[in-house]
Each structure stands twice: as structure tokens, then as C-alpha cells.
Amino acid sequence: MTVDQYDEAARLGVLDDPRVELINGLMVRKKAKSPIHSSTLGVLDEALRPLIPKSWYVRIGRPIRLPTYDEPDLAVLRGKPGDYRSRHPGPEDVAMVVEVSETSLRIDRGDKLRAYARAGIAHYWIINLVDRRIEAYREPGPNGYGASTTHDRSSEAPVVIDGVELGRIAVGEVVADDDAEV
């Protein structure tokens, strides 16, 4: 299914299931979000917002229009929310995409990683709740990302927008403690 077909089905009301997303041309059922997933996303949102310049903003759980379409857990977008009243943000509007990964690690490291890289998304983070770390990918290309760094709970992950490091986020504040249930 193409992005245009997916959008048309949604517009016509044929596709109105918020538990479905389009990934690489296939409609995929989303997994339910656990309390730790939602909490982690909220903590990351609070940590990111003070670092993001006024010409960008943080958007949670809303679509971005890629060649294969997706709805990331979090995206850092150019402009303001009102800039996207008539269209979904495209790759040129996205500085960073984040997926909080608990049960979806295989998809987040596979299909989604390749889709974001092909679209040219400069920075892709996986908040890996299984291994309690942040996987940061950069240097997108047609077959994936050319570089990656794994940040464990004792380190800090740099936040980079338009090639400029704006600050760092303490991984231990974002990723659940070892005794948290995943």
C-alpha cells in the first residue's frame, strides 16, 4: 500500500483504527503501550524540551509523512505545530525521531530503522527498555545508518539538531531502573 492510498483510506473513513500504522507499505498492528513505555516517553519529552531551540518543537505520537509513512513515538520538528495544519511533516521537517522499544525492538532496529534512514532522518534514537540503554543512529543512507552509538545508563546522549549539539541527556534519567518491570 502506498502512502497516498493509506491517506485516502483514512480520509474516506475506511481506515480509522488508531492501532494500525503503515510501515514499508504494509499495514501493521501497533502494540499496546505499557506504563513504562508511556512514562519513559514522558521523561524523555521533559528532558528534550529545554534543549530544543524556538525554531523547532517536540511532537509525540503523531504521523510524519515518509515515503513509507510512520507515526514515531517522538519527533523533533522544524517550526511550530500550526505549520502542519494542511500537511504532515516530511523528512525535510524532521531533525530527530525516537522510538521507545519494549516489545518492538526487532521492528525498531529493522524496518523502522531502514525506513527512517532511507528518508534521510538525520538522527534516530531507540530507547531500548529491554537492555536499558539508548541506541543513537546517524549518517542515514539508502541501506541504513552509517554510524551508531550505544549509550548505557551511566552515560549521556548528545542532542544534535542541524549538526549542532544542543546539550546532553542523562540516559539513567530516561531509561528505567534495573528493578523496573519491562
Side-chain angles (χ1 to χ4, degrees):
M1 174 178 267
T2 68
V3 174
D4 290 335
Q5 290 168 331
Y6 182 85
D7 284 344
E8 183 64 9
R11 187 187 70 74
L12 294 172
V14 174
L15 178 67
D16 63 353
D17 188 344
R19 297 168 298 174
V20 173
E21 64 184 324
L22 186 66
I23 302 174
N24 290 329
L26 299 173
M27 289 194 330
V28 177
R29 182 168 298 279
K30 295 181 192 178
K31 302 206 184 220
K33 299 200 180 345
S34 68
I36 189 108
H37 181 283
S38 298
S39 175
T40 300
L41 189 56
V43 170
L44 178 62
D45 179 32
E46 283 186 351
L48 272 176
R49 285 186 192 268
L51 301 177
I52 303 301
K54 298 283 186 221
S55 57
W56 295 85
Y57 79 101
V58 176
R59 179 166 143 157
I60 295 179
R62 299 286 180 246
I64 56 176
R65 189 176 175 96
L66 305 177
T68 55
Y69 207 81
D70 198 23
E71 189 172 301
D73 287 327
L74 183 146
V76 177
L77 303 177
R78 183 182 315 280
K80 300 190 180 320
D83 295 342
Y84 302 103
R85 287 191 172 117
S86 63
R87 67 178 180 90
H88 289 305
E92 67 281 358
D93 304 308
V94 181
M96 175 183 189
V97 166
V98 178
E99 296 289 354
V100 176
S101 191
E102 184 178 5
T103 58
S104 61
L105 199 51
R106 184 183 57 78
I107 292 169
D108 294 338
R109 283 182 178 154
D111 290 339
K112 285 192 177 188
L113 181 141
R114 286 187 297 277
Y116 293 139
R118 275 193 304 271
I121 304 299
H123 296 276
Y124 172 44
W125 282 11
I126 297 174
I127 309 298
N128 180 335
L129 297 179
V130 175
D131 300 311
R132 294 179 170 83
R133 62 188 183 196
I134 293 178
E135 299 171 19
Y137 298 88
R138 61 194 181 286
E139 300 176 17
N143 298 315
Y145 284 89
S148 66
T149 306
T150 300
H151 303 279
D152 65 21
R153 289 183 37 78
S154 64
S155 65
E156 294 182 331
V159 176
V160 178
I161 306 289
D162 272 347
V164 177
E165 183 177 322
L166 302 172
R168 293 178 165 262
I169 292 181
V171 176
E173 290 180 18
V174 175
V175 180
D177 291 331
D178 291 338
D179 60 353
E181 287 185 34
V182 177

